[in-house]
C-alpha cells in the first residue's frame, strides 16, 4: 500500500504516523551501523539541536547568529597572535564551525565560508582578494568535512559517548587542524608573506592552536547544542550538583591561577601542573560532560592569566601543549568515569530485574504448590461428602417405602455417620499438615531427630557430594516436644544448607552439633547447623527471618520465618549466628527437665 | 427428573459402577438399586474388564481416578471392545481438561462429586436410553439379516442392483436374462424381505449400510 492510499484510509492512522516518525528519524539521525543500539536514556529527544531549538527552522537567522559568534570568538581569542600567519594559541571558533555543521547539517558550510572570510578580513586584516576567498573556502570545506564526519560516524550529537567517539573526535580535530595549517601555510607561502623555510615551525603552532580549540571547546559545544548533554548527565555520580561543583571549580581554579601566576612560589609553568588536581575531581565526579565544560574554563583562565601576568618562563606555545595534555587526559578520565557509572547503573537495573523475576517465579511456584495441595484436599473431602449425599438420598428412599427395610436403613444411616467421621479426619489431617493447631508432645532423643533430618536429605547429600558430620554431646536428656514440628525445622535448616552448598567449592560440609546451652534461664539443648557454603550476604541478614524472604521454594518447604515461629511456639528459639565465619544457625529447645 | 418419568425401564437395565472408594461405590450401588436398576460394582477398571458377561441395556458409571487403569483409559478400551457401552464419568476434582477429554471420547456425561442425585439420574437415563436404542437397532438389523439369508444368490444380486438404482432392463442386460425373469426375482425377494414397495427395499438397504458401518452390534450376545 502506498503512502497516499494509507493516508486516505481512515482505518489506518497508525501506519501514517509510524511512517512519518520513520521519515523524521531518518532525516535527523542517519544510521551509524558500527554503533550498538542506544540503551534506554529516559525519553530524551536525542536528535536535533537543543539550544538551537528556536533557530532550527530559521536557517538564515542561525547563519547570522553563527557568523557573529564566530567573529566575536575569533576577535576575543586573538591574543598572542603570532605574525605573520596570525596563529593564536586557541582557536575555539573552529569548534563553533564544526558544531554548526555537525548539528545543523552540511547546508551551513556557506555560512562557515562567510564567517571565515569575514574573520580573515575584519579580524586578521587580510586583503579582501581572491586569495583570501580561496583560503577561506578551503578552510570552510575542512570544517564542514570535520563536522559531517563527527555527525555521521560518531555518537556525540545523539547518544552516550564512548571511548571510540572521543578518540574519533580527537583524531578529527588533529586531521582538520593539520589541513587548515597546511592551507594557511601554503596560502601565505604563495603570497610570499612567509618563507618556505619557516613554514613548518609556524604551521606547528597553527596545528596545535586549531587542535586545542577543537579538543577543548568542541565536546562541550557538541553536547550542549545537540542536547546530548542530558544523556551524559543522566548517569553521573554527582548528578544534580553539576552547577554547584562547576562554581566551586571556577573559584578553585581562580585561586590556583592566582597562586601560580601572582603569588608564584615556584616557576609558574611547572606549578601549572597543579591544575590537573581540580580537573581530576570534576572528571571523576561529573564524567564527560562535567569535564567538557570545565576544560574550556581552564583554558580561558590560563589565557587570561598568561595575558595579565605575562610569565617569562614559558611561551604561549608551551601553555598550549600543557592545556592540550590536560584536556585530553581529563576528557578520557571523565569518559571512563561516565562509562563506569553507566555500567554500574545498568548492572544495578539488571540485578533488580533479575531479583524481581525470581520473586515472581517464587510466588508462582508457591501459588502452584498451594493450588495442588488444595486440589488434593478437595478430592479427599469430596469422597466422603459424595458418599454422605448419596447415602442420605438412599436412606430417604428407604424410609419412604411402605415395606421399609429397617436393617438396610439403619446400616445406611450408620454409613452416613461413618463418612462424616472420615471427613472430619481429613480436616484434622489437613490442619495438622499446616501446623496451626495443637502440638503433639512426645519424648524424642536428639540423636533420633538429627538422624531423621539426615535421612531426609540423604539423596541430596550424595548427589552434591556433601560430607555430613554430627557430634552430639553424650548424656543429653530426651526432649519432650513435637517431633514432627522440630523435624520440619531441622529439615528446613538442612535443606537450606544443601542449597547453599550446591554451587560451593569442594569439600562441602554440613556440621550438626548438639549440646546443653550454658547460661540459659531454663535447661536448654542447642542444635547447631553449619555449612561450608558461601555464607549469607550481610544485607540479607536482617530479613532472614521475614516471611517470603526465602529464594528457594521447595513445594511446601517451611521458610525460616515459619521455622522460627515453630521453634518459639515449642518454647525455644531459632537464631542466625552472624559472628561465625561459616553459615551457622542455632535451634534452641527446652528440655523440660526438673 | 424423576426416574419414574423416564422411558427407560429401570428394572431390566444395568449400571456398572467402577469406583475405588468403597463408601462412594457402596452408596451409589445402594441408591441405584433403590431406584430399581440392577447394579454391579467394581473397585478397578481391570476388575470390570475381566467381568464375565455384560447384560444389555447397560451403562458404566466410573470414577476418573482409579488405581491402575484410569477411568478415561477404561472408556477408550470399552469403545473398542464393548460395543460403545454408554459411559458416565465422575470425579472429585472439578477438572475441566478431564471433562473435555471424557466428553470428546464419547462420554454421555461428566459428574462432579459430591454427586447431585438428579444429575446422576439424568445421566444414567440418557446413557441407558442410548444403549437401549443401540440394542433395538442391533435387534432389527438381526431381523433383516435373517430375512436376507433366505434370498438366493441371484435375488441378492438383483436386490443390490435395484437398491443401487438400476432399471429392470439394465439388470436383465447385465445378467443376460429376460426382463420378465428380473421381475420375477424382484417379486420373490420383496416377498421374502416382507417389502411391499420398492421404497421399503431402499429403507432396508439404508438400515443395513448404516449399521454395518457401526461394528457395534457384532459383539452383542
Amino acid at each position: 500500500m502506498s503512502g497516499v492510499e494509507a493516508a486516505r484510509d481512515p482505518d489506518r492512522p497508525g501506519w501514517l504516523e509510524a511512517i512519518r516518525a520513520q521519515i523524521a528519524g531518518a532525516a535527523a539521525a542517519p544510521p551509524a551501523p558500527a554503533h550498538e543500539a542506544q540503551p534506554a536514556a529516559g525519553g530524551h529527544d536525542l536528535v536535533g539541536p537543543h539550544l538551537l531549538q528556536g533557530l532550527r527552522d530559521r536557517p538564515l537567522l542561525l547563519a547570522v547568529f553563527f557568523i557573529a559568534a564566530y567573529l566575536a570568538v575569533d576577535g576575543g581569542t586573538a591574543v598572542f597572535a603570532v605574525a605573520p600567519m596570525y596563529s593564536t594559541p586557541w582557536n575555539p571558533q573552529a569548534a563553533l564551525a564544526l558544531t554548526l555543521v555537525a548539528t545543523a547539517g552540511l547546508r551551513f558550510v556557506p555560512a562557515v565560508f562567510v564567517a571565515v572570510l569575514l574573520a580573515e578580513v575584519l579580524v586578521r586584516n587580510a586583503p579582501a582578494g581572491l586569495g583570501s576567498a580561496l583560503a577561506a573556502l578551503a578552510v570552510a570545506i575542512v570544517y564542514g568535512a570535520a563536522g559531517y564526519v563527527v555527525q555521521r560516524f560518531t555518537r556525540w550529537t545523539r547518544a552516550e559517548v564512548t571511548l571510540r567517539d572521543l578518540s574519533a573526535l580527537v583524531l578529527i580535530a588533529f586531521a582538520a587542524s593539520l589541513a587548515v595549517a597546511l592551507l594557511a601555510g601554503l596560502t601565505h607561502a604563495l603570497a610570499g608573506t612567509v618563507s618556505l623555510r619557516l613554514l613548518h615551525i609556524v604551521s606547528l603552532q597553527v596545528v596545535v592552536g586549531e587542535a586545542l580549540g577543537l579538543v577543548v571547546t568542541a565536546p562541550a559545544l557538541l553536547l550542549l547544542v545537540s542536547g546530548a548533554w542530558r544523556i551524559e548527565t543522566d548517569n553521573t555520580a554527582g548528578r544534580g550538583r553539576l552547577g554547584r561543583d562547576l562554581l566551586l571549580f571556577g573559584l578553585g581554579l581562580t585561586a590556583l591561577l592566582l597562586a601560580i601566576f601572582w603569588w608564584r612560589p615556584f616557576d609558574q609553568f611547572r606549578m601549572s601542573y597543579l591544575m590537573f588536581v581540580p580537573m581530576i575531581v570534576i572528571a571523576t565526579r561529573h564524567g564527560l560532560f562535567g569535564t567538557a565544560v570545565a576544560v574550556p574554563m581552564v583554558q580561558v583562565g590560563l589565557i587570561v592569566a598568561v595575558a595579565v601576568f605575562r610569565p617569562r618562563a614559558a611561551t604561549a606555545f608551551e601553555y598550549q601543549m600543557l592545556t592540550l595534555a590536560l584536556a585530553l587526559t581529563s576528557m578520557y578520565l571523565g569518559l571512563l568515569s561516565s562509562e563506569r557509572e553507566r555500567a554500574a547503573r545498568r548492572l544495578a537495573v539488571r540485578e533488580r530485574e533479575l531479583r524481581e523475576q525470581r520473586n515472581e517465579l517464587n510466588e508462582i511456584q508457591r501459588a502452584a504448590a498451594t493450588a495442588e495441595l488444595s486440589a488434593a484436599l478437595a478430592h479427599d473431602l469430596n469422597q466422603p461428602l459424595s458418599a454422605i449425599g448419596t447415602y442420605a438420598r438412599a436412606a430417604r428412599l428407604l424410609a419412604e417405602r411402605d415395606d421399609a427395610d429397617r436393617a438396610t436403613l439403619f446400616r445406611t444411616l450408620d454409613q452416613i455417620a461413618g463418612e462424616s467421621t472420615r471427613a472430619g479426619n481429613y480436616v484434622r489431617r489437613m490442619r495438622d499438615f499446616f501446623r496451626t493447631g495443637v502440638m503433639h508432645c512426645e519424648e524424642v532423643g536428639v540423636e533420633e531427630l538429627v538422624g531423621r533430618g539426615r535421612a531426609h536429605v540423604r539423596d541430596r547429600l550424595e548427589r552434591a557430594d556433601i560430607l555430613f558430620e554430627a557430634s552430639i554431646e553424650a548424656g543429653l536428656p530426651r526432649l519432650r516436644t513435637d517431633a514432627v514440628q522440630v523435624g520440619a525445622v531441622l529439615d528446613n535448616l538442612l535443606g537450606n544448607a544443601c542449597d547453599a552448598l550446591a554451587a560451593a567449592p569442594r569439600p562441602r560440609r554440613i556440621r550438626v552439633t548438639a549440646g546443653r546451652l550454658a547460661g540459659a534461664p531454663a535447661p536448654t539443648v542447642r542444635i547447631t547447623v553449619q555449612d561450608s557454603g558461601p555464607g549469607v550476604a550481610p544485607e540479607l541478614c536482617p530479613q532472614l527471618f521475614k516471611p517470603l524472604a526465602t529464594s528457594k521454594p521447595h513445594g511446601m518447604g517451611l521458610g525460616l520465618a515459619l521455622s522460627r515461629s515453630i521453634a518459639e511456639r515449642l518454647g525455644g528459639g531459632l537464631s542466625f549466628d552472624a559472628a561465625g565465619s561459616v553459615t551457622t544457625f542455632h535451634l534452641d529447645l527446652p528440655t523440660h527437665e526438673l | 427428573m424423576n426416574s419414574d418419568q423416564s422411558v427407560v425401564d429401570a428394572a431390566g437395565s444395568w449400571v456398572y459402577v467402577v469406583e475405588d472408594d468403597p463408601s462412594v461405590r457402596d452408596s451409589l450401588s445402594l441408591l441405584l438399586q433403590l431406584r430399581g436398576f440392577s447394579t454391579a460394582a467394581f473397585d478397578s477398571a481391570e476388575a470390570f474388564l475381566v467381568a464375565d458377561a455384560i447384560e444389555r441395556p447397560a451403562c458404566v458409571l466410573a470414577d476418573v481416578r482409579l488405581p491402575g487403569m484410569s477411568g478415561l483409559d477404561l472408556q477408550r478400551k470399552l469403545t473398542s471392545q464393548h460395543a460403545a457401552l454408554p459411559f458416565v464419568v465422575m470425579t472429585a476434582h472439578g477438572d475441566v481438561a478431564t471433562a473435555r477429554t471424557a466428553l470428546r471420547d464419547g462420554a454421555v456425561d461428566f459428574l462432579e462429586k459430591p454427586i447431585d442425585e438428579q444429575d446422576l439420574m439424568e445421566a444414567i437415563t440418557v446413557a441407558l436410553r442410548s444403549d437401549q436404542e443401540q440394542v433395538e437397532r442391533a435387534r432389527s438389523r438381526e431381523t433383516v439379516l435373517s430375512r436376507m439369508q433366505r434370498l438366493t444368490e441371484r435375488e441378492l444380486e438383483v436386490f443390490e442392483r435395484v437398491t443401487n438404482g438400476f432399471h429392470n432392463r439394465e439388470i436383465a442386460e447385465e445378467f443376460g436374462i429376460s426382463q420378465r425373469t428380473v421381475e420375477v426375482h424382484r417379486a420373490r425377494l420383496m416377498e421374502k424381505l416382507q417389502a411391499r414397495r420398492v421404497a421399503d427395499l431402499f429403507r432396508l438397504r439404508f438400515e443395513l449400510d448404516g449399521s454395518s458401518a457401526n461394528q457395534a452390534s457384532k459383539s452383542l450376545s
Side-chain angles (χ1 to χ4, degrees):
Chain A
M1 178 186 284
S2 80
V4 177
E5 281 172 321
R8 284 195 194 124
D9 189 347
D11 292 330
R12 312 201 58 180
W15 182 87
L16 201 62
E17 270 168 35
I19 211 72
R20 275 203 199 106
Q22 278 172 32
I23 292 165
H35 296 148
E36 53 187 326
Q38 159 68 20
H44 289 310
D45 181 15
L46 298 187
V47 291
H50 176 69
L51 290 185
L52 297 183
Q53 215 82 58
L55 295 170
R56 199 179 188 175
D57 304 324
R58 303 186 187 87
L60 209 61
L61 197 63
L62 177 58
V64 170
F65 182 76
F66 162 73
I67 291 164
Y70 189 96
L71 290 177
V73 170
D74 198 29
T77 56
V79 283
F80 305 113
V82 178
M85 280 181 36
Y86 210 83
S87 53
T88 57
W90 183 37
N91 280 4
Q93 67 275 21
L96 269 181
L98 183 144
T99 305
L100 178 74
V101 175
T103 54
L106 277 173
R107 62 198 175 122
F108 281 92
V109 172
V112 175
F113 163 71
V114 173
V116 173
L117 185 62
L118 282 177
E120 285 291 321
V121 173
L122 295 180
V123 181
R124 307 182 185 203
N125 301 316
L130 186 64
S132 296
L134 282 175
L137 183 64
V139 170
I141 287 170
V142 170
Y143 288 163
Y148 175 76
V149 171
V150 165
Q151 193 273 326
R152 182 75 178 76
F153 298 105
T154 74
R155 323 204 302 172
W156 278 92
T157 53
R158 55 176 178 273
E160 287 167 351
V161 175
T162 63
L163 201 58
R164 180 185 163 281
D165 300 316
L166 179 56
S167 298
L169 185 67
V170 171
L171 274 178
I172 291 165
F174 274 96
S177 308
L178 203 62
V180 167
L182 275 174
L183 284 169
L186 272 174
T187 314
H188 285 280
L190 288 174
T193 45
V194 292
S195 75
L196 282 168
R197 270 179 297 169
L198 273 172
L199 184 62
H200 63 285
I201 303 169
V202 181
S203 286
L204 186 62
Q205 283 188 330
V206 176
V207 171
V208 174
E210 286 279 331
L212 192 57
L214 282 169
V215 167
V216 166
T217 327
L221 276 178
L222 280 169
L223 292 176
L224 278 171
V225 172
S226 68
W229 64 278
R230 287 162 176 273
I231 307 165
E232 290 295 329
T233 50
D234 246 10
N235 287 326
T236 47
R239 176 166 49 161
R241 296 188 296 276
L242 181 60
R244 188 200 66 187
D245 285 4
L246 281 177
L247 188 69
L248 287 176
F249 174 77
L251 292 175
L253 182 70
T254 312
L256 203 55
L257 286 169
L258 283 174
I260 293 167
F261 289 95
W262 184 57
W263 181 41
R264 217 180 340 154
F266 302 102
D267 169 43
Q268 292 127 317
F269 182 68
R270 277 186 278 158
M271 284 275 291
S272 305
Y273 287 98
L274 280 176
M275 284 188 299
F276 273 93
V277 178
M279 274 319 308
I280 286 166
V281 174
I282 283 288
T284 47
R285 269 182 70 77
H286 291 287
L288 184 69
F289 181 64
T291 316
V293 176
V295 165
M297 289 169 72
V298 173
Q299 176 72 326
V300 170
L302 259 181
I303 288 197
V304 169
V306 170
V308 171
F309 297 105
R310 303 214 165 257
R312 281 156 297 156
T315 67
F317 184 67
E318 280 170 296
Y319 280 105
Q320 277 180 297
M321 298 304 282
L322 171 75
T323 322
L324 192 57
L326 180 63
L328 287 176
T329 313
S330 47
M331 216 82 88
Y332 274 100
L333 186 63
L335 180 78
L336 290 179
S337 158
S338 286
E339 287 201 331
R340 186 182 138 274
E341 198 64 35
R342 283 199 288 261
R345 246 162 239 273
R346 259 171 229 157
L347 203 64
V349 168
R350 192 85 198 94
E351 270 178 359
R352 200 162 50 237
E353 281 171 5
L354 278 175
R355 206 159 44 235
E356 277 164 13
Q357 280 169 8
R358 209 172 49 207
N359 288 344
E360 241 166 71
L361 197 66
N362 287 351
E363 284 303 313
I364 290 165
Q365 282 174 327
R366 228 180 276 275
T370 312
E372 201 171 306
L373 186 77
S374 49
L377 291 170
H379 179 265
D380 284 355
L381 260 183
N382 264 337
Q383 297 283 32
L385 287 179
S386 190
I388 288 172
T390 314
Y391 275 132
R393 300 294 302 192
R396 195 196 149 94
L397 284 179
L398 278 169
E400 275 172 357
R401 285 190 180 176
D402 297 332
D403 58 334
D405 177 354
R406 296 186 72 80
T408 314
L409 178 58
F410 290 152
R411 188 184 70 86
T412 306
L413 291 173
D414 286 346
Q415 291 279 10
I416 292 175
E419 286 305 298
S420 102
T421 310
R422 187 173 147 213
N425 282 339
Y426 277 133
V427 171
R428 194 159 55 246
R429 209 195 291 169
M430 174 170 37
R431 201 174 49 205
D432 283 359
F433 189 86
F434 285 114
R435 293 290 163 189
T436 52
V438 285
M439 291 178 284
H440 306 275
C441 278
E442 54 186 304
E443 274 206 1
V444 63
V446 177
E447 289 98 325
E448 206 182 328
L449 283 171
V450 173
R452 275 188 220 164
R454 180 189 187 157
H456 287 162
V457 292
R458 189 192 294 130
D459 285 346
R460 304 194 61 193
L461 294 175
E462 281 171 12
R463 201 166 54 231
D465 193 16
I466 299 169
L467 293 167
F468 187 95
E469 295 172 8
S471 75
I472 290 150
E473 189 183 302
L476 279 182
R478 285 170 73 77
L479 303 172
R480 262 192 65 75
T481 187
D482 187 328
V484 175
Q485 296 193 5
V486 173
V489 175
L490 262 181
D491 286 353
N492 184 235
L493 292 178
L494 292 173
N496 283 349
C498 288
D499 288 337
L501 287 169
R506 286 183 173 79
R508 299 168 183 159
R509 198 184 302 270
I510 293 178
R511 226 184 122 65
V512 178
T513 48
R516 286 171 192 274
L517 181 64
T524 300
V525 165
R526 164 164 281 189
I527 302 175
T528 300
V529 178
Q530 294 177 304
D531 67 71
S532 63
V536 178
E539 67 269 20
L540 265 179
C541 290
Q543 311 160 17
L544 216 46
F545 291 95
K546 285 184 182 160
L548 301 179
T550 176
S551 61
K552 307 172 296 289
H554 282 298
M556 290 304 291
L558 301 165
L560 281 171
L562 208 45
S563 296
R564 173 177 265 183
S565 79
I566 289 173
E568 283 170 359
R569 209 163 50 220
L570 294 172
L574 178 65
S575 55
F576 172 68
D577 192 348
S581 56
V582 293
T583 313
T584 307
F585 284 93
H586 300 299
L587 171 61
D588 297 340
L589 295 166
T591 60
H592 300 294
E593 277 178 309
L594 293 174
Chain B
M1 183 194 284
N2 205 308
S3 65
D4 302 332
Q5 301 167 336
S6 81
V7 296
V8 176
D9 179 15
S13 306
W14 281 81
V15 178
Y16 296 103
V17 180
V18 187
E19 162 69 58
D20 58 323
D21 189 290
S23 306
V24 176
R25 190 173 63 230
D26 181 54
S27 62
L28 284 172
S29 300
L30 178 66
L31 182 64
L32 289 168
Q33 279 166 21
L34 288 171
R35 285 291 186 199
F37 297 99
S38 306
T39 65
F42 306 89
D43 61 358
S44 72
E46 288 84 351
F48 174 69
L49 284 174
V50 298
D52 299 335
I54 302 294
E55 306 280 343
R56 300 295 281 260
C59 72
V60 179
L61 177 63
D63 193 67
V64 169
R65 285 213 183 172
L66 293 168
M69 184 189 256
S70 81
L72 294 182
D73 290 339
L74 175 66
Q75 183 188 349
R76 253 168 252 139
K77 188 132 190 179
L78 281 185
T79 313
S80 56
Q81 277 192 359
H82 281 280
L85 203 55
F87 216 88
V88 177
V89 282
M90 312 177 282
T91 182
H93 300 271
D95 177 358
V96 178
T98 318
R100 202 176 47 217
T101 311
L103 295 175
R104 196 189 54 209
D105 287 353
V108 171
D109 209 340
F110 187 89
L111 301 175
E112 257 187 82
K113 290 179 186 173
I115 291 171
D116 182 72
E117 194 200 1
Q118 193 168 321
D119 291 347
L120 174 70
M121 289 308 158
E122 269 176 37
I124 296 286
T125 305
V126 170
L128 286 174
R129 192 185 298 146
S130 126
D131 200 47
Q132 209 159 35
E133 278 166 18
Q134 271 194 63
V135 170
E136 274 161 18
R137 250 199 322 274
R139 212 166 275 154
S140 80
R141 186 171 184 271
E142 264 167 29
T143 314
V144 172
L145 281 174
S146 69
R147 285 181 199 155
M148 297 284 280
Q149 274 171 356
R150 297 207 294 264
L151 300 188
T152 65
E153 195 55 34
R154 178 48 52 92
E155 281 166 358
L156 198 61
E157 283 171 348
V158 171
F159 172 78
E160 194 262 330
R161 300 301 194 279
V162 168
T163 51
N164 275 347
F166 289 97
H167 291 295
N168 286 354
R169 182 176 44 77
E170 293 167 305
I171 301 170
E173 266 174 36
E174 188 191 345
F175 293 130
I177 53 179
S178 69
Q179 273 198 46
R180 175 78 196 128
T181 317
V182 174
E183 275 163 26
V184 171
H185 282 311
R186 240 174 90 162
R188 278 219 192 105
L189 73 90
M190 282 179 76
E191 190 191 340
K192 285 177 182 173
L193 294 177
Q194 297 177 8
R196 294 169 61 195
R197 289 181 296 273
V198 184
D200 291 340
L201 291 183
F202 281 98
R203 188 179 50 76
L204 286 175
R205 175 72 187 265
F206 180 77
E207 209 166 290
L208 283 171
D209 290 355
S211 49
S212 68
N214 179 0
Q215 296 291 318
S217 54
K218 281 190 183 163
S219 61
L220 278 173
S221 50

